[in-house]
Coordinates of all heavy atoms in Angstrom, one line a residue:
F1 N 102.1 108.7 89.1 CA 101.0 108.1 89.9 C 100.0 109.2 90.3 O 100.4 110.3 90.6 CB 101.5 107.5 91.2 CG 102.4 106.3 91.0 CD1 102.8 105.9 89.8 CD2 102.7 105.5 92.1 CE1 103.6 104.7 89.6 CE2 103.5 104.3 92.0 CZ 104.0 104.0 90.7
T2 N 98.7 108.8 90.4 CA 97.7 109.7 90.8 C 96.8 109.0 91.8 O 96.2 107.9 91.5 CB 96.8 110.2 89.6 OG1 97.7 110.8 88.7 CG2 95.8 111.2 90.1
I3 N 96.6 109.6 93.0 CA 95.6 109.1 94.0 C 94.3 109.8 93.8 O 94.2 111.0 93.5 CB 96.2 109.3 95.4 CG1 95.3 108.5 96.4 CG2 96.3 110.8 95.8 CD1 95.9 108.5 97.8
S4 N 93.2 109.0 93.9 CA 91.9 109.6 93.7 C 90.9 108.8 94.6 O 91.3 107.8 95.3 CB 91.4 109.5 92.3 OG 91.3 108.2 91.8
R5 N 89.7 109.2 94.6 CA 88.7 108.5 95.6 C 87.3 108.6 95.0 O 87.0 109.5 94.2 CB 88.8 109.2 96.9 CG 88.4 110.7 96.9 CD 88.9 111.4 98.1 NE 88.8 112.9 97.9 CZ 89.2 113.8 98.8 NH1 89.7 113.4 99.9 NH2 89.1 115.1 98.5
S6 N 86.5 107.7 95.6 CA 85.1 107.8 95.3 C 84.4 107.7 96.7 O 84.4 106.6 97.3 CB 84.6 106.6 94.4 OG 83.2 106.5 94.4
N7 N 83.8 108.8 97.1 CA 83.1 108.7 98.4 C 81.9 107.8 98.3 O 81.6 107.1 99.3 CB 82.7 110.1 98.8 CG 83.8 111.0 99.2 OD1 84.8 110.6 99.7 ND2 83.7 112.3 98.8
A8 N 81.2 107.7 97.2 CA 80.1 106.9 97.0 C 80.4 105.4 97.2 O 79.6 104.6 97.7 CB 79.4 107.2 95.7
K9 N 81.6 105.1 96.8 CA 82.0 103.6 96.8 C 83.0 103.4 98.0 O 83.4 102.2 98.1 CB 82.7 103.3 95.5 CG 81.8 103.3 94.3 CD 82.6 102.9 93.0 CE 81.6 102.9 91.8 NZ 82.3 102.5 90.6
N10 N 83.2 104.4 98.8 CA 84.2 104.2 99.9 C 85.5 103.6 99.5 O 86.0 102.7 100.1 CB 83.5 103.3 101.0 CG 82.4 104.0 101.7 OD1 82.3 105.2 101.8 ND2 81.4 103.3 102.2
T11 N 86.0 104.1 98.4 CA 87.2 103.5 97.7 C 88.2 104.6 97.4 O 87.8 105.7 96.9 CB 86.8 102.8 96.5 OG1 85.9 101.7 96.8 CG2 88.0 102.1 95.8
V12 N 89.4 104.3 97.6 CA 90.6 105.1 97.2 C 91.3 104.3 96.2 O 91.5 103.1 96.2 CB 91.5 105.4 98.4 CG1 92.7 106.2 98.0 CG2 90.7 106.3 99.4
Y13 N 91.8 105.1 95.1 CA 92.5 104.5 94.0 C 93.9 105.0 93.9 O 94.2 106.1 94.4 CB 91.7 104.8 92.7 CG 90.3 104.4 92.7 CD1 89.3 105.3 93.0 CD2 89.9 103.1 92.4 CE1 87.9 105.0 93.0 CE2 88.5 102.7 92.4 CZ 87.6 103.7 92.7 OH 86.3 103.3 92.7
L14 N 94.7 104.2 93.2 CA 96.0 104.6 92.8 C 96.2 104.3 91.4 O 96.4 103.1 91.0 CB 97.1 104.0 93.7 CG 98.5 104.5 93.4 CD1 98.7 106.0 93.8 CD2 99.6 103.7 94.2
Q15 N 96.2 105.3 90.5 CA 96.5 105.1 89.1 C 98.0 105.2 88.9 O 98.6 106.2 89.2 CB 95.8 106.1 88.2 CG 96.1 106.0 86.7 CD 95.6 104.7 86.1 OE1 94.4 104.4 86.3 NE2 96.4 104.0 85.4
M16 N 98.6 104.1 88.4 CA 100.1 104.1 88.2 C 100.4 104.0 86.7 O 100.0 103.0 86.1 CB 100.7 102.9 89.0 CG 100.3 102.9 90.5 SD 101.1 101.6 91.4 CE 100.3 100.1 90.6
N17 N 101.0 105.0 86.2 CA 101.4 105.0 84.8 C 102.9 105.0 84.7 O 103.7 105.3 85.6 CB 100.9 106.3 84.1 CG 99.3 106.3 84.1 OD1 98.7 105.3 84.0 ND2 98.8 107.5 84.2
S18 N 103.4 104.7 83.5 CA 104.9 104.7 83.2 C 105.6 104.0 84.3 O 106.6 104.4 84.8 CB 105.4 106.2 83.2 OG 104.7 106.9 82.2
L19 N 105.1 102.8 84.6 CA 105.7 102.0 85.6 C 107.1 101.6 85.3 O 107.5 101.3 84.1 CB 104.9 100.7 85.9 CG 103.6 101.0 86.7 CD1 102.6 99.9 86.5 CD2 103.9 101.2 88.2
K20 N 107.9 101.5 86.4 CA 109.4 101.1 86.3 C 109.6 99.9 87.1 O 108.9 99.6 88.1 CB 110.2 102.3 86.8 CG 110.0 103.6 86.1 CD 110.8 104.7 86.8 CE 110.6 106.1 86.1 NZ 111.4 107.2 86.8
P21 N 110.7 99.1 86.8 CA 111.0 98.0 87.6 C 111.2 98.3 89.1 O 110.8 97.5 89.9 CB 112.3 97.5 87.0 CG 112.2 97.9 85.5 CD 111.5 99.2 85.6
E22 N 111.6 99.5 89.4 CA 111.8 99.9 90.8 C 110.5 100.2 91.5 O 110.5 100.4 92.7 CB 112.8 101.1 90.9 CG 112.4 102.3 90.0 CD 113.2 102.3 88.7 OE1 113.4 101.2 88.1 OE2 113.7 103.4 88.3
D23 N 109.4 100.2 90.8 CA 108.1 100.3 91.4 C 107.6 98.9 91.9 O 106.6 98.9 92.6 CB 107.1 100.8 90.4 CG 107.4 102.3 90.0 OD1 107.7 103.1 90.9 OD2 107.2 102.6 88.8
T24 N 108.3 97.9 91.6 CA 108.0 96.5 92.1 C 107.9 96.5 93.6 O 108.9 96.9 94.3 CB 108.9 95.5 91.6 OG1 108.8 95.4 90.2 CG2 108.6 94.1 92.2
A25 N 106.8 96.1 94.2 CA 106.6 96.1 95.7 C 105.3 95.5 96.0 O 104.4 95.4 95.1 CB 106.8 97.5 96.2
V26 N 105.1 95.3 97.3 CA 103.7 95.1 97.8 C 103.1 96.4 98.2 O 103.8 97.2 98.9 CB 103.7 94.1 99.0 CG1 102.3 94.0 99.5 CG2 104.3 92.8 98.7
Y27 N 102.0 96.7 97.6 CA 101.3 98.0 97.9 C 100.2 97.8 98.9 O 99.4 96.9 98.8 CB 100.8 98.6 96.6 CG 101.8 99.2 95.7 CD1 102.8 98.3 95.0 CD2 102.0 100.5 95.5 CE1 103.8 98.9 94.3 CE2 103.0 101.1 94.7 CZ 103.9 100.2 94.1 OH 104.9 100.7 93.3
Y28 N 100.3 98.7 99.9 CA 99.3 98.6 101.0 C 98.5 99.9 101.1 O 99.0 101.0 100.9 CB 100.1 98.5 102.4 CG 100.9 97.2 102.5 CD1 102.2 97.2 102.1 CD2 100.3 96.1 103.0 CE1 103.0 96.1 102.3 CE2 101.1 94.9 103.2 CZ 102.4 94.9 102.8 OH 103.1 93.8 103.0
C29 N 97.2 99.7 101.4 CA 96.3 100.8 101.7 C 96.4 101.1 103.2 O 96.5 100.1 104.0 CB 94.9 100.5 101.3 SG 93.7 101.8 101.6
N30 N 96.4 102.3 103.6 CA 96.5 102.7 105.1 C 95.6 103.8 105.4 O 95.3 104.7 104.6 CB 97.9 103.1 105.4 CG 98.1 103.7 106.8 OD1 98.1 104.9 107.0 ND2 98.2 102.8 107.7
A31 N 95.0 103.8 106.6 CA 94.2 104.9 107.1 C 94.6 105.1 108.6 O 94.7 104.1 109.3 CB 92.7 104.6 107.0
Q32 N 94.7 106.4 108.9 CA 95.2 106.7 110.3 C 94.3 107.8 110.9 O 94.7 108.9 111.2 CB 96.6 107.2 110.3 CG 97.6 106.2 109.8 CD 99.0 106.7 109.7 OE1 99.3 107.7 110.3 NE2 99.9 105.9 109.1
P33 N 93.0 107.4 111.1 CA 92.1 108.4 111.7 C 92.2 108.6 113.2 O 92.1 107.6 113.9 CB 90.7 107.9 111.3 CG 90.9 106.4 111.3 CD 92.3 106.2 110.8
Y34 N 92.7 109.7 113.7 CA 92.7 110.1 115.1 C 93.3 109.0 116.0 O 92.6 108.5 116.9 CB 91.2 110.4 115.5 CG 90.7 111.5 114.7 CD1 89.7 111.3 113.7 CD2 91.1 112.9 114.9 CE1 89.3 112.3 112.9 CE2 90.7 113.9 114.1 CZ 89.7 113.6 113.1 OH 89.3 114.7 112.4
G35 N 94.5 108.7 115.8 CA 95.2 107.8 116.6 C 95.1 106.3 116.3 O 95.8 105.5 116.8
Y36 N 94.3 106.0 115.3 CA 94.2 104.6 114.9 C 95.1 104.4 113.7 O 95.5 105.4 113.0 CB 92.7 104.3 114.5 CG 91.8 104.2 115.7 CD1 91.2 105.4 116.2 CD2 91.6 103.0 116.4 CE1 90.4 105.3 117.3 CE2 90.8 103.0 117.6 CZ 90.2 104.2 118.0 OH 89.4 104.1 119.1
D37 N 95.4 103.1 113.4 CA 96.3 102.8 112.3 C 95.8 101.5 111.6 O 96.0 100.4 112.2 CB 97.7 102.6 112.8 CG 98.7 102.6 111.7 OD1 98.4 102.9 110.5 OD2 99.9 102.3 111.9
Y38 N 95.2 101.6 110.5 CA 94.6 100.5 109.8 C 95.4 100.2 108.5 O 95.7 101.1 107.8 CB 93.1 100.7 109.4 CG 92.2 101.0 110.6 CD1 91.7 102.3 110.8 CD2 91.9 100.0 111.5 CE1 90.9 102.6 111.9 CE2 91.1 100.3 112.6 CZ 90.6 101.6 112.8 OH 89.8 101.9 113.9
W39 N 95.6 98.9 108.2 CA 96.3 98.5 107.0 C 95.5 97.4 106.3 O 94.8 96.6 106.9 CB 97.7 97.9 107.4 CG 98.6 98.9 107.9 CD1 98.8 99.2 109.2 CD2 99.5 99.7 107.2 NE1 99.8 100.2 109.3 CE2 100.2 100.5 108.1 CE3 99.8 99.8 105.8 CZ2 101.2 101.4 107.7 CZ3 100.8 100.8 105.4 CH2 101.5 101.5 106.3
G40 N 95.6 97.4 105.0 CA 95.1 96.3 104.2 C 96.1 95.2 104.2 O 97.2 95.3 104.7
Q41 N 95.7 94.1 103.4 CA 96.6 93.0 103.4 C 97.7 93.1 102.3 O 98.6 92.3 102.3 CB 95.7 91.7 103.1 CG 95.4 91.5 101.6 CD 94.3 92.5 101.1 OE1 93.7 93.3 101.8 NE2 94.1 92.4 99.8
G42 N 97.6 94.1 101.5 CA 98.6 94.3 100.5 C 98.2 93.7 99.1 O 97.6 92.6 99.1
T43 N 98.7 94.3 98.1 CA 98.6 93.7 96.7 C 99.9 93.8 96.0 O 100.6 94.9 96.1 CB 97.5 94.4 96.0 OG1 97.3 93.7 94.7 CG2 97.7 95.8 95.7
Q44 N 100.4 92.7 95.4 CA 101.7 92.7 94.8 C 101.7 93.4 93.4 O 100.8 93.1 92.6 CB 102.2 91.2 94.6 CG 103.5 91.1 93.8 CD 104.7 91.6 94.7 OE1 104.8 91.2 95.9 NE2 105.6 92.3 94.1
V45 N 102.6 94.2 93.2 CA 102.8 94.9 91.9 C 104.2 94.5 91.4 O 105.2 94.7 92.1 CB 102.7 96.4 91.9 CG1 103.1 97.0 90.6 CG2 101.2 96.8 92.2

């Protein structure tokens, strides 16, 4: 897996290669700036 970002698009990515059955999960994006804790709604893989 590789995490990357685009500041211009305000987007963070997760490239997932060589996926395994044990990678099956709901994947959530999270940000924790200075005491805050934000979560996305999740996406199923």
